[in-house]
Amino acid sequence: MMIFQWVVGVLFGAVLLAGLARRVGAPYPVFLALGGIGLAFVPAVPDLVLDPELALALFLAPVLLDAGYDTSVRDLRTHWRPIAGLAFGAVIATTAAVAVVAKWLVPDMPWAACIVLGAVVAPPDAVAALSVLRHVSLPHRLSTILRGESLLNDAGSLLIYRFGVTAAVTGTFALSEVGPAFAIEILGSIVVGPVLALLYSAAMRRVADAPSVIVLQFVSAFGIWIGAEAFHLSGVLTVVTFAITVARIAPGHTPPRTRIVSYAVWDTAVFVLNVLAFVLIGLQIGPILERLTHEQQVSYALVGAAVFLTVVVVRLAWVLPTAHLARLGAEGSETRDRGLSAGIAVSWAGMRGIVTIATALALPERDPAFPFRDLIVLTAFCVIIGTLTIQGLTLRLLLNRLGLEDNDPVGREVGHGRTEAFRAALETLEDVDDAPSKALREEFRIALEQAEARDNGFAAEALPADAARRRAIEAARDRVLALRSSGAIGDDAYYVLEEEFDWAEMNATPRGDT
């Protein structure tokens, strides 16, 4: 019962912290991290320990599936050079630099453990960066780069992490054996993920119940990760390629009700997983500090600060001199100063989060214990806190100061697509002469006339009668609510009508007003 009460309290506190983050325009992981610090010093907290073998699957599989589903294949292909440079080059450079710094500060630390520490803190977190980017106008190219980097950098860092953990635990490492295994793992994952997606999509066409569909989505995320790891493939690449493939197939046969409910459930799941991750690592900090002497605490704190500075400096040093990244802020011809501003923005959006937590928690605690595990976990937490608070709380101010503007390429494409969609709908109704079709045809005709009157030819977000629809639906809600209050209709009938009004109002409400 005590654990349940703590879970309820933590979730309630997380919602309050997320609300505070939205009010100040900060990424909510910043406040979750601060909450984790608070838990580390709360007396009589429950002893919650996560099985290290479960950490990666629990935290990364659903987060990667959700991110992969939202990834644009076209944008990845267009910007593959800078994305690859960050996702693999920056990860390798950060891992190497952190390993050298750790070995210099802690000479007794094995090289394999130093490399594992570097791999743990190397990958930035998409959730933290994108929660800031929602509040600012950032060029679409930069948003695409950051999304693509966060999706793929986990693969590179986890490969290094796994090899480092194996070497540290077994004491052996043979490059001649690792090379072929590495190639097979990458190629196999890239092939298996899309194949599983095709099989999954074919099977899901037979499932119409929304709760069953959502449960199967989570089962597929965890099942694919576990299966990939069991067959010595990359869980990250298998899940990501699976999600990207499903996203290209599923929209054609997924019912709207299922899609809307699914999006809401997955947003909630990612939020809860972030909460759980920060709570678990916060609960580990207290016992670690208790096991250390005062001198060790000071020494570990210095290592954490040094690794944090290394992570920030390496990202700046990697991004700013790279010409093709500096050009990412430009749309057409652009000045060198504008390119430098884009590079600064990308450099500073390197907050660490759930991936770093998951890999730190996944280190073996016993039989045998991973060497310098406490130091790695504490250092990882220092890097997370440092990047989230210092970079996360200043990123919005920095982006506003840099003055990077976006000419809204996504908005232009949406406007063009909406115009063509209205035209297709109108063409479908041309040969139908009943009264409802005539009324709908007239509405689409007016919408197209309004679009063609614009300089860009793009349709507005709302149909001409949407405002009137919302007023009518509001009046209908009030009347039906009065009928329920008076007893003229029962609750069962009311809930059926309420759902009908909800769907009608969603159809008549612009996305920005929901």
Side-chain angles (χ1 to χ4, degrees), residues 50 52 284 288 291 360-366 369-378:
L50 183 68
Q284 289 208 11
I288 289 176
R291 290 193 292 266
L361 293 176
L363 293 173
E365 292 187 76
R366 58 183 68 89
F370 192 86
F372 290 86
R373 184 184 189 276
D374 287 353
L375 174 60
I376 294 175
V377 172
L378 192 60

Side-chain angles (χ1 to χ4, degrees), residues 6 37 39 51 107 133 202 224 252 288 313 327 359 368 405 410-411 479 481:
W6 267 93
I37 293 178
L39 286 176
D51 183 353
L133 301 182
I224 290 171
I288 289 176
V313 170
R327 290 197 297 269
T359 49
E405 298 177 356
V410 174
R479 180 64 59 85
L481 185 60

Side-chain angles (χ1 to χ4, degrees), residues 56-71 150-151 154 193-194 196-197 200-201 204 213-225 235-248 250 262-263 266-267 269-270 273 355:
L56 293 180
L58 175 62
F59 293 121
L60 298 191
V63 170
L64 290 172
L65 187 73
D66 182 59
Y69 192 90
D70 294 335
T71 298
S150 64
L151 187 67
D154 301 341
L196 292 176
Y200 169 86
S201 299
M204 291 302 291
V213 170
I214 295 171
V215 169
L216 290 175
Q217 289 172 349
F218 281 96
V219 168
S220 66
F222 293 120
I224 290 171
W225 180 283
V236 173
L237 287 179
T238 307
V239 169
V240 167
T241 54
F242 169 85
I244 290 175
T245 305
V246 169
R248 309 292 291 183
S262 176
Y263 287 168
W266 277 90
D267 285 345
V270 170
L273 286 173
V355 177

Side-chain angles (χ1 to χ4, degrees), residues 81 463 482:
R81 290 180 183 273
L463 287 170

